Amino acid sequence: MAQSRQDASPRTAMVTGAASGIGRAIASLLSARGWQVHICDADRDAIARMRDENPAIEASVCDVCDAMRAAQTVERMLEKTGGRLDLLVNNAGTSGMNAPLEEIDPDDWRRTLDVNVNGTFNFLRAAIPVMKRAGTGTIVNIASTAALFGYPNRSPYAAAKWALIGITKTLAMELGPHNIRVNAICPGSVEGPRIDGVIERDARTRGVAPDAVRRLYEGQVSMRRFVSADDIARMCAFLASDDAGMVSGQIVAVDGHTETLSNPL
């Protein structure tokens, strides 16, 4: 990725929830393209593996729900980068329960919104003043196609991801005058362990075999297949690049065109 003509030093990125899955793919791609990348994740074992396998990427343990820890994580990054933060990717999230709303455990409801919404708020609150002082920056929030449709039996997750769309649109308006761009990516079902777990839980809720739910999910997408974490990473890298210099306030689906999330079996 081309660097600014005025500043040839490496661009810097903070990616939350990035020791596995989409976040890991984003961090790895940015690092490969010359960015100075810092990640955080609540999974200590995954962070340890990331440090071993990708020593060029700074990695720290952080529960994004903890506002103080979030601020400290950003501060530690700034100490490494000389106060520079070009890109914040709010990727940390949790999928929540699969159940009708009246059967949702209140603690699970709160936890799902806490990670997906409050965790995003905590890092935004720490990062935005840094970008404002610099007069430039990019924010990418990882939402979901669940933020574009109703999603039966996934009400906590859908509520959280719709909230991220509101945050994205509002911040694009607030921060545009400061030369800070804000966009959201809405991944479809991303192949890997996380969607496997969602399918298993959905299958239990429906009382059917997981393979039947997998076929249903694939059939909801025009291209009839799941996306990969690398598909999301490439879109994030584009949104962070100079080529997207006038792209802000946009909700970009990377999903093979989701037609519905509510097809019955």
Side-chain angles (χ1 to χ4, degrees), residues 95-105 108-109 112-113 146 150-162:
S95 57
M97 287 181 66
N98 288 73
L101 186 141
E102 70 273 16
E103 298 177 14
I104 297 290
D105 183 282
D108 187 82
W109 175 275
T112 303
L113 269 70
Y151 201 172
N153 299 317
R154 298 290 302 284
S155 56
Y157 184 75
K161 294 302 186 178
W162 277 79

mmCIF file of all heavy atoms in Angstrom, residues 95-105 108-109 112-113 146 150-162:
data_model
loop_
_atom_site.group_PDB
_atom_site.id
_atom_site.type_symbol
_atom_site.label_atom_id
_atom_site.label_comp_id
_atom_site.label_asym_id
_atom_site.label_seq_id
_atom_site.Cartn_x
_atom_site.Cartn_y
_atom_site.Cartn_z
ATOM 1 N N SER A 95 -20.741 -13.429 19.250
ATOM 2 C CA SER A 95 -21.936 -13.766 18.464
ATOM 3 C C SER A 95 -23.208 -13.868 19.291
ATOM 4 O O SER A 95 -24.304 -13.766 18.759
ATOM 5 C CB SER A 95 -21.707 -15.072 17.708
ATOM 6 O OG SER A 95 -21.370 -16.112 18.599
ATOM 7 N N GLY A 96 -23.107 -14.074 20.602
ATOM 8 C CA GLY A 96 -24.295 -14.136 21.439
ATOM 9 C C GLY A 96 -25.084 -15.424 21.264
ATOM 10 O O GLY A 96 -24.677 -16.352 20.571
ATOM 11 N N MET A 97 -26.243 -15.467 21.914
ATOM 12 C CA MET A 97 -27.073 -16.670 21.928
ATOM 13 C C MET A 97 -27.883 -16.829 20.652
ATOM 14 O O MET A 97 -28.183 -15.864 19.960
ATOM 15 C CB MET A 97 -28.059 -16.626 23.106
ATOM 16 C CG MET A 97 -27.463 -16.857 24.476
ATOM 17 S SD MET A 97 -28.730 -16.812 25.783
ATOM 18 C CE MET A 97 -29.701 -18.287 25.359
ATOM 19 N N ASN A 98 -28.239 -18.076 20.355
ATOM 20 C CA ASN A 98 -29.225 -18.399 19.326
ATOM 21 C C ASN A 98 -30.499 -18.832 20.036
ATOM 22 O O ASN A 98 -30.577 -19.949 20.557
ATOM 23 C CB ASN A 98 -28.748 -19.553 18.433
ATOM 24 C CG ASN A 98 -27.646 -19.152 17.496
ATOM 25 O OD1 ASN A 98 -26.511 -18.952 17.930
ATOM 26 N ND2 ASN A 98 -27.960 -19.011 16.225
ATOM 27 N N ALA A 99 -31.498 -17.954 20.087
ATOM 28 C CA ALA A 99 -32.751 -18.292 20.757
ATOM 29 C C ALA A 99 -33.771 -17.187 20.488
ATOM 30 O O ALA A 99 -33.399 -16.050 20.194
ATOM 31 C CB ALA A 99 -32.534 -18.436 22.272
ATOM 32 N N PRO A 100 -35.067 -17.506 20.580
ATOM 33 C CA PRO A 100 -36.072 -16.439 20.528
ATOM 34 C C PRO A 100 -35.819 -15.433 21.637
ATOM 35 O O PRO A 100 -35.293 -15.781 22.709
ATOM 36 C CB PRO A 100 -37.394 -17.196 20.751
ATOM 37 C CG PRO A 100 -37.114 -18.601 20.377
ATOM 38 C CD PRO A 100 -35.675 -18.837 20.736
ATOM 39 N N LEU A 101 -36.201 -14.181 21.399
ATOM 40 C CA LEU A 101 -35.839 -13.116 22.334
ATOM 41 C C LEU A 101 -36.288 -13.418 23.761
ATOM 42 O O LEU A 101 -35.530 -13.185 24.706
ATOM 43 C CB LEU A 101 -36.436 -11.789 21.869
ATOM 44 C CG LEU A 101 -36.000 -10.565 22.694
ATOM 45 C CD1 LEU A 101 -35.770 -9.362 21.809
ATOM 46 C CD2 LEU A 101 -37.006 -10.225 23.789
ATOM 47 N N GLU A 102 -37.489 -13.972 23.931
ATOM 48 C CA GLU A 102 -37.981 -14.194 25.294
ATOM 49 C C GLU A 102 -37.208 -15.271 26.031
ATOM 50 O O GLU A 102 -37.324 -15.402 27.266
ATOM 51 C CB GLU A 102 -39.482 -14.548 25.272
ATOM 52 C CG GLU A 102 -39.819 -15.913 24.699
ATOM 53 C CD GLU A 102 -39.986 -15.910 23.184
ATOM 54 O OE1 GLU A 102 -39.548 -14.923 22.534
ATOM 55 O OE2 GLU A 102 -40.552 -16.869 22.654
ATOM 56 N N GLU A 103 -36.384 -16.032 25.303
ATOM 57 C CA GLU A 103 -35.561 -17.059 25.933
ATOM 58 C C GLU A 103 -34.113 -16.619 26.129
ATOM 59 O O GLU A 103 -33.295 -17.371 26.665
ATOM 60 C CB GLU A 103 -35.601 -18.339 25.103
ATOM 61 C CG GLU A 103 -37.000 -18.949 24.992
ATOM 62 C CD GLU A 103 -37.036 -20.179 24.095
ATOM 63 O OE1 GLU A 103 -35.942 -20.714 23.782
ATOM 64 O OE2 GLU A 103 -38.140 -20.600 23.717
ATOM 65 N N ILE A 104 -33.792 -15.410 25.693
ATOM 66 C CA ILE A 104 -32.424 -14.904 25.834
ATOM 67 C C ILE A 104 -32.129 -14.629 27.302
ATOM 68 O O ILE A 104 -32.905 -13.972 28.007
ATOM 69 C CB ILE A 104 -32.236 -13.607 25.011
ATOM 70 C CG1 ILE A 104 -32.415 -13.870 23.515
ATOM 71 C CG2 ILE A 104 -30.869 -12.985 25.292
ATOM 72 C CD1 ILE A 104 -31.338 -14.681 22.874
ATOM 73 N N ASP A 105 -31.006 -15.125 27.757
ATOM 74 C CA ASP A 105 -30.570 -14.838 29.118
ATOM 75 C C ASP A 105 -30.157 -13.365 29.211
ATOM 76 O O ASP A 105 -29.388 -12.880 28.378
ATOM 77 C CB ASP A 105 -29.381 -15.738 29.468
ATOM 78 C CG ASP A 105 -28.922 -15.559 30.899
ATOM 79 O OD1 ASP A 105 -28.227 -14.558 31.175
ATOM 80 O OD2 ASP A 105 -29.261 -16.416 31.735
ATOM 81 N N ASP A 108 -26.504 -12.729 28.895
ATOM 82 C CA ASP A 108 -25.972 -12.888 27.545
ATOM 83 C C ASP A 108 -26.306 -11.666 26.698
ATOM 84 O O ASP A 108 -25.476 -11.197 25.908
ATOM 85 C CB ASP A 108 -26.531 -14.147 26.887
ATOM 86 C CG ASP A 108 -25.852 -14.431 25.553
ATOM 87 O OD1 ASP A 108 -24.756 -15.010 25.561
ATOM 88 O OD2 ASP A 108 -26.411 -14.020 24.503
ATOM 89 N N TRP A 109 -27.523 -11.140 26.849
ATOM 90 C CA TRP A 109 -27.896 -9.917 26.137
ATOM 91 C C TRP A 109 -26.908 -8.799 26.463
ATOM 92 O O TRP A 109 -26.375 -8.145 25.568
ATOM 93 C CB TRP A 109 -29.318 -9.504 26.513
ATOM 94 C CG TRP A 109 -29.746 -8.197 25.914
ATOM 95 C CD1 TRP A 109 -29.507 -6.948 26.423
ATOM 96 C CD2 TRP A 109 -30.450 -7.996 24.680
ATOM 97 N NE1 TRP A 109 -30.012 -5.983 25.587
ATOM 98 C CE2 TRP A 109 -30.601 -6.594 24.518
ATOM 99 C CE3 TRP A 109 -30.964 -8.862 23.722
ATOM 100 C CZ2 TRP A 109 -31.261 -6.047 23.427
ATOM 101 C CZ3 TRP A 109 -31.632 -8.303 22.632
ATOM 102 C CH2 TRP A 109 -31.764 -6.916 22.480
ATOM 103 N N THR A 112 -23.333 -9.441 25.063
ATOM 104 C CA THR A 112 -23.237 -9.270 23.614
ATOM 105 C C THR A 112 -23.146 -7.796 23.248
ATOM 106 O O THR A 112 -22.315 -7.397 22.421
ATOM 107 C CB THR A 112 -24.440 -9.927 22.911
ATOM 108 O OG1 THR A 112 -24.503 -11.306 23.275
ATOM 109 C CG2 THR A 112 -24.309 -9.824 21.398
ATOM 110 N N LEU A 113 -23.987 -6.971 23.857
ATOM 111 C CA LEU A 113 -23.925 -5.537 23.569
ATOM 112 C C LEU A 113 -22.690 -4.894 24.178
ATOM 113 O O LEU A 113 -22.131 -3.949 23.606
ATOM 114 C CB LEU A 113 -25.198 -4.841 24.063
ATOM 115 C CG LEU A 113 -26.304 -4.763 23.006
ATOM 116 C CD1 LEU A 113 -26.898 -6.132 22.715
ATOM 117 C CD2 LEU A 113 -27.399 -3.789 23.408
ATOM 118 N N ALA A 146 -25.966 -8.870 9.493
ATOM 119 C CA ALA A 146 -27.042 -8.813 10.484
ATOM 120 C C ALA A 146 -27.430 -7.377 10.809
ATOM 121 O O ALA A 146 -28.456 -7.140 11.451
ATOM 122 C CB ALA A 146 -26.619 -9.534 11.758
ATOM 123 N N GLY A 150 -33.313 -8.111 9.422
ATOM 124 C CA GLY A 150 -33.699 -8.755 10.664
ATOM 125 C C GLY A 150 -33.038 -10.122 10.724
ATOM 126 O O GLY A 150 -32.718 -10.717 9.692
ATOM 127 N N TYR A 151 -32.805 -10.626 11.943
ATOM 128 C CA TYR A 151 -32.063 -11.884 12.083
ATOM 129 C C TYR A 151 -32.746 -12.728 13.156
ATOM 130 O O TYR A 151 -32.411 -12.632 14.338
ATOM 131 C CB TYR A 151 -30.620 -11.594 12.463
ATOM 132 C CG TYR A 151 -29.625 -12.699 12.167
ATOM 133 C CD1 TYR A 151 -28.269 -12.470 12.316
ATOM 134 C CD2 TYR A 151 -30.033 -13.965 11.747
ATOM 135 C CE1 TYR A 151 -27.336 -13.470 12.051
ATOM 136 C CE2 TYR A 151 -29.120 -14.959 11.479
ATOM 137 C CZ TYR A 151 -27.773 -14.705 11.638
ATOM 138 O OH TYR A 151 -26.872 -15.700 11.375
ATOM 139 N N PRO A 152 -33.706 -13.565 12.771
ATOM 140 C CA PRO A 152 -34.448 -14.352 13.760
ATOM 141 C C PRO A 152 -33.535 -15.186 14.654
ATOM 142 O O PRO A 152 -32.560 -15.778 14.191
ATOM 143 C CB PRO A 152 -35.332 -15.257 12.887
ATOM 144 C CG PRO A 152 -35.502 -14.490 11.616
ATOM 145 C CD PRO A 152 -34.191 -13.788 11.402
ATOM 146 N N ASN A 153 -33.848 -15.200 15.936
ATOM 147 C CA ASN A 153 -33.126 -15.963 16.957
ATOM 148 C C ASN A 153 -31.728 -15.428 17.246
ATOM 149 O O ASN A 153 -30.951 -16.079 17.933
ATOM 150 C CB ASN A 153 -33.051 -17.453 16.597
ATOM 151 C CG ASN A 153 -34.423 -18.084 16.494
ATOM 152 O OD1 ASN A 153 -35.286 -17.831 17.342
ATOM 153 N ND2 ASN A 153 -34.643 -18.885 15.462
ATOM 154 N N ARG A 154 -31.417 -14.247 16.742
ATOM 155 C CA ARG A 154 -30.114 -13.638 17.003
ATOM 156 C C ARG A 154 -30.295 -12.169 17.398
ATOM 157 O O ARG A 154 -29.515 -11.312 17.002
ATOM 158 C CB ARG A 154 -29.215 -13.736 15.757
ATOM 159 C CG ARG A 154 -28.868 -15.140 15.288
ATOM 160 C CD ARG A 154 -27.917 -15.854 16.238
ATOM 161 N NE ARG A 154 -26.677 -15.134 16.434
ATOM 162 C CZ ARG A 154 -25.679 -15.091 15.529
ATOM 163 N NH1 ARG A 154 -25.781 -15.737 14.379
ATOM 164 N NH2 ARG A 154 -24.568 -14.435 15.799
ATOM 165 N N SER A 155 -31.310 -11.881 18.190
ATOM 166 C CA SER A 155 -31.644 -10.478 18.483
ATOM 167 C C SER A 155 -30.530 -9.704 19.182
ATOM 168 O O SER A 155 -30.306 -8.530 18.844
ATOM 169 C CB SER A 155 -32.946 -10.388 19.286
ATOM 170 O OG SER A 155 -32.872 -11.150 20.472
ATOM 171 N N PRO A 156 -29.776 -10.273 20.148
ATOM 172 C CA PRO A 156 -28.702 -9.471 20.757
ATOM 173 C C PRO A 156 -27.635 -9.077 19.744
ATOM 174 O O PRO A 156 -27.169 -7.929 19.727
ATOM 175 C CB PRO A 156 -28.131 -10.400 21.838
ATOM 176 C CG PRO A 156 -29.167 -11.430 22.072
ATOM 177 C CD PRO A 156 -29.880 -11.598 20.776
ATOM 178 N N TYR A 157 -27.252 -10.027 18.901
ATOM 179 C CA TYR A 157 -26.228 -9.772 17.896
ATOM 180 C C TYR A 157 -26.706 -8.737 16.881
ATOM 181 O O TYR A 157 -25.979 -7.789 16.544
ATOM 182 C CB TYR A 157 -25.872 -11.088 17.206
ATOM 183 C CG TYR A 157 -24.744 -11.008 16.206
ATOM 184 C CD1 TYR A 157 -23.427 -10.895 16.622
ATOM 185 C CD2 TYR A 157 -25.003 -11.067 14.829
ATOM 186 C CE1 TYR A 157 -22.389 -10.841 15.711
ATOM 187 C CE2 TYR A 157 -23.964 -11.005 13.915
ATOM 188 C CZ TYR A 157 -22.663 -10.892 14.354
ATOM 189 O OH TYR A 157 -21.641 -10.831 13.438
ATOM 190 N N ALA A 158 -27.945 -8.906 16.400
ATOM 191 C CA ALA A 158 -28.476 -7.960 15.423
ATOM 192 C C ALA A 158 -28.562 -6.558 16.017
ATOM 193 O O ALA A 158 -28.190 -5.568 15.367
ATOM 194 C CB ALA A 158 -29.849 -8.423 14.935
ATOM 195 N N ALA A 159 -29.033 -6.461 17.262
ATOM 196 C CA ALA A 159 -29.138 -5.147 17.903
ATOM 197 C C ALA A 159 -27.775 -4.479 18.001
ATOM 198 O O ALA A 159 -27.625 -3.275 17.742
ATOM 199 C CB ALA A 159 -29.760 -5.301 19.292
ATOM 200 N N ALA A 160 -26.765 -5.260 18.369
ATOM 201 C CA ALA A 160 -25.418 -4.706 18.515
ATOM 202 C C ALA A 160 -24.864 -4.236 17.177
ATOM 203 O O ALA A 160 -24.266 -3.152 17.077
ATOM 204 C CB ALA A 160 -24.496 -5.752 19.134
ATOM 205 N N LYS A 161 -25.048 -5.025 16.147
ATOM 206 C CA LYS A 161 -24.481 -4.663 14.849
ATOM 207 C C LYS A 161 -25.232 -3.505 14.194
ATOM 208 O O LYS A 161 -24.614 -2.666 13.516
ATOM 209 C CB LYS A 161 -24.457 -5.891 13.935
ATOM 210 C CG LYS A 161 -23.502 -6.989 14.427
ATOM 211 C CD LYS A 161 -22.068 -6.506 14.582
ATOM 212 C CE LYS A 161 -21.110 -7.621 14.931
ATOM 213 N NZ LYS A 161 -19.707 -7.170 15.038
ATOM 214 N N TRP A 162 -26.548 -3.426 14.387
ATOM 215 C CA TRP A 162 -27.268 -2.245 13.909
ATOM 216 C C TRP A 162 -26.760 -0.999 14.631
ATOM 217 O O TRP A 162 -26.661 0.075 14.035
ATOM 218 C CB TRP A 162 -28.772 -2.408 14.130
ATOM 219 C CG TRP A 162 -29.463 -3.188 13.050
ATOM 220 C CD1 TRP A 162 -29.492 -4.549 12.899
ATOM 221 C CD2 TRP A 162 -30.228 -2.660 11.959
ATOM 222 N NE1 TRP A 162 -30.227 -4.894 11.791
ATOM 223 C CE2 TRP A 162 -30.696 -3.754 11.199
ATOM 224 C CE3 TRP A 162 -30.580 -1.369 11.558
ATOM 225 C CZ2 TRP A 162 -31.481 -3.605 10.054
ATOM 226 C CZ3 TRP A 162 -31.375 -1.208 10.421
ATOM 227 C CH2 TRP A 162 -31.809 -2.315 9.680
#
